[in-house]
């Protein structure tokens, strides 16, 4: 689990790169590089307020994967009011 001050979703990852998606820590945030198709699916999930999971790693890496989970929560008491 990684805490981050911000998240950047970059939809320019080419399918020919050999990666499903790539995540990396940038300063105190997280950058997630995804394909155009995944970006379209992410946008739709955000519009629909649905949870979304991005699988990161090489296409043929087997069971070793990392995930970026976008989850909607009911309790907003601990969110930044500003």
């Amino acid at each position: 689990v990684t805490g981050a001050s911000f998240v950047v979703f970059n939809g320019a990852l080419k399918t020919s790169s050999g990666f499903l998606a790539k995540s990396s820590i940038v300063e105190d945030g997280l950058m997630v590089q995804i394909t155009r198709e995944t970006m379209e699916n992410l946008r739709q999930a955000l519009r629909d307020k649905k949870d979304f999971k991005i699988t990161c790693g090489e296409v043929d890496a087997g069971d070793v994967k990392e995930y970026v989970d976008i989850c909607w929560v009911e309790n907003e008491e601990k969110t930044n009011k500003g």
Side-chain angles (χ1 to χ4, degrees):
V1 175
T2 301
S5 296
F6 64 91
V7 178
V8 174
F9 295 101
N10 178 342
L13 185 68
K14 304 289 184 205
T15 54
S16 61
S17 70
F19 285 91
L20 298 167
K22 292 167 60 174
S23 65
S24 55
I25 296 173
V26 179
E27 295 180 14
D28 60 341
L30 180 68
M31 181 171 66
V32 185
Q33 298 176 30
I34 55 179
T35 62
R36 176 183 284 181
E37 178 182 306
T38 304
M39 179 65 88
E40 291 170 7
N41 293 335
L42 172 60
R43 286 179 178 164
Q44 188 60 52
L46 292 173
R47 281 188 213 104
D48 296 341
K49 295 186 178 180
K50 303 270 186 188
D51 293 351
F52 193 78
K53 178 182 259 187
I54 300 170
T55 304
C56 299
E58 294 183 41
V59 173
D60 51 357
D63 290 339
V64 181
K65 303 265 189 269
E66 63 182 47
Y67 302 94
V68 176
D69 289 321
I70 296 111
C71 303
W72 292 89
V73 296
E74 294 293 326
N75 184 354
E76 296 184 19
E77 292 177 5
K78 297 186 188 242
T79 60
N80 183 351
K81 301 290 184 193

